[in-house]
Amino acid sequence: MTGPVGCRGRLAPGLRAGVIALALCCAPAARAHGLRVSVQAQPDGVAGQAFYSDQTPAAGDRVELYAPPDAAEPIAHQASDAQGRFRFQAAPGRMYRVVVEGEEGHRSEAQIMLAPLPGSTAPGADAAALGAVVRTELAPLREDLAHLETRIRLHDLIGGIGYLVGLVGLYAWWRARRSR
Amino acid sequence: MHLADGVLTAPVLIGGGVLGAIGVWLGLRQLDDTRLPLAALLGSAFFVAGTIHVPVGVGSVHLILNGLAGLLLGWAVFPAMLVALLLQVVLFGFGGFAVLGVNLLILALPGVIAHYVCRSWLRRTDRTRLIAVGIGSALIGIGGAALLAALALSLSGGRMFAPLIVILMLAHLPVLAVDAAIGTLSLFALARLRPEVLVRTAGAAPTLAGAPRERVDV
């Protein structure tokens, strides 16, 4: 799906619609209700993954990088790959904002502080290399945490039903008092 | 079908909010004591159904059930969906607070249309009619929602209506199929267990409080 959608900017609008429609036919079709994005610091920039609330990757969506976070125009953009992943080269020591926007009105954003790697002032000659390794090794863990954070849990569902029942109870009580 | 915060422009958000509020007001006037539990039931069915994704083949399928809810509730589908959508925003982060009105309109208005289009078919509840109503209300519910979502997105600029509606319809074909199936089965169950619900939907127009009844119960 990354192939045709990734280069869709060069296609005529009608053809583009056809390509997207075709891509949708052979890609996960029914999209979940929410788009999510997780962003991690990398040694040379920021990387992350866009995924839907049912934990399927959001492939071929437009990903934009803003710096500073409140900038009006993105400094870079790309399409997420088949696993929903993206990677931007970025200078350390700044705040960044990553915005993912899907075709169907889905949108998600995240901010990240890209701290500089330990420099020559830090003890040990390989501090920067070690910092880079730690960052790379921790990225999957942070991604797992992001997935865990957005997972729909059974107790949320049951709680929601409880709220509904409670609200109906309140409304019925209010109506009963009024009609008395 | 939940549009996210930050996608739509302010006029569309405000317009959706105002129209959604009018719908909720109309719905609350119709929400009498006999209809209240059904509204809560369909609201929670919608709330839960949207979160359960069943992987089928290449995609995953979930329910929306706005057509069925609208068919049985009429305008009262607006307050029921409002509460369900609000809970989905708070608990799961689907959609957002600013787009709540637009999302409510996208889902509830096709339900109301399904009510007025399909209810007369329910005068007699034989098998073919129930299937027709089940499929019809799912088609109006999902199709109308896709249409309104595409409209809201294209009104906000930057997207063309024609390709967008194609994308949304294609993406929701599996949803449509499951909604039609579950809706039809629900109608079968209602016809057998609680036929008075269908009779009320078909015959007595849910009158606005204070307004004279248009039609006598069948």
Side-chain angles (χ1 to χ4, degrees):
Chain A
M1 173 159 180
T2 333
V5 177
C7 62
R8 66 186 177 214
R10 287 194 293 264
L11 300 175
L15 192 60
R16 176 187 150 177
V19 168
I20 296 171
L22 201 71
L24 273 166
C25 281
C26 45
R31 296 302 175 79
H33 295 289
L35 183 62
R36 306 280 179 262
V37 61
S38 74
V39 183
Q40 294 89 37
Q42 291 289 322
D44 58 345
V46 295
Q49 189 190 18
F51 56 98
Y52 288 100
S53 52
D54 64 347
Q55 311 286 325
T56 53
D61 280 348
R62 183 185 169 90
V63 188
E64 293 174 337
L65 185 70
Y66 293 81
D70 54 355
E73 293 297 316
I75 57 170
H77 67 87
Q78 57 182 254
S80 57
D81 70 6
Q83 274 79 48
R85 289 183 198 286
F86 54 87
R87 175 181 280 270
F88 290 103
Q89 305 282 331
R94 295 179 78 179
M95 280 289 286
Y96 291 93
R97 183 165 65 109
V98 175
V99 176
V100 183
E101 201 156 330
E103 283 286 336
E104 304 162 26
H106 287 309
R107 187 179 188 276
S108 185
E109 61 175 70
Q111 289 201 12
I112 186 168
M113 174 70 209
L114 188 59
L117 286 169
S120 52
T121 52
D126 295 327
L130 185 65
V133 169
V134 168
R135 228 169 239 198
T136 313
E137 291 294 314
L138 280 184
L141 185 67
R142 286 172 178 272
E143 204 164 87
D144 281 350
L145 279 177
H147 277 278
L148 205 61
E149 174 73 24
T150 59
R151 185 161 294 162
I152 291 165
R153 295 178 188 84
L154 187 63
H155 61 238
D156 284 339
L157 274 181
I158 295 167
I161 296 169
Y163 276 111
L164 265 154
V165 173
L167 279 171
V168 165
L170 268 178
Y171 187 65
W173 177 66
W174 181 70
R175 282 180 69 93
R177 275 175 64 93
R178 208 175 50 160
S179 64
R180 197 179 287 164
Chain B
M1 214 71 87
H2 294 59
L3 304 181
D5 265 343
V7 175
L8 301 178
T9 51
V12 178
L13 289 177
I14 294 167
V18 169
L19 291 176
I22 292 172
V24 171
W25 178 72
L26 283 173
L28 280 177
R29 291 184 59 176
Q30 279 192 7
L31 195 59
D32 50 18
D33 293 342
T34 49
R35 208 177 285 269
L36 186 60
L38 185 67
L41 181 69
L42 289 167
S44 43
F46 169 80
F47 167 75
V48 174
T51 63
I52 299 171
H53 294 88
V54 183
V56 174
V58 288
S60 79
V61 160
H62 60 87
L63 293 162
I64 296 182
L65 291 178
N66 61 334
L68 179 72
L71 172 75
L72 298 176
L73 291 175
W75 285 99
V77 73
F78 267 89
M81 290 258 174
L82 174 69
V83 176
L85 279 173
L86 196 65
L87 286 170
Q88 286 187 337
V89 176
V90 173
L91 293 175
F92 308 129
F94 293 169
F97 286 106
V99 286
L100 197 60
V102 177
N103 281 334
L104 177 63
L105 208 63
I106 286 173
L107 289 162
L109 195 60
V112 175
I113 294 170
H115 175 79
Y116 285 106
V117 171
C118 297
R119 67 171 179 181
S120 59
W121 307 350
L122 280 173
R123 296 251 170 74
R124 286 211 318 275
T125 55
D126 52 81
R127 183 179 286 262
T128 35
R129 274 171 185 255
L130 287 181
I131 293 174
V133 171
I135 293 174
S137 55
L139 211 63
I140 295 170
I142 309 286
L147 206 71
L148 286 174
L151 190 68
L153 286 170
S154 60
L155 279 179
S156 291
R159 294 153 203 259
M160 281 183 309
F161 183 74
L164 206 60
I165 187 73
V166 172
I167 291 170
L168 282 169
M169 285 305 272
L170 277 175
H172 286 87
L173 276 182
V175 182
L176 176 65
V178 185
D179 251 34
I182 299 290
T184 307
L185 288 177
S186 308
L187 288 175
F188 276 143
L190 279 175
R192 177 167 297 183
L193 301 171
R194 287 277 176 274
E196 67 272 15
V197 173
L198 297 186
V199 169
R200 202 171 55 200
T201 304
T207 51
L208 297 180
R213 281 184 158 252
E214 301 166 9
R215 206 172 292 154
V216 186
D217 289 48
V218 188

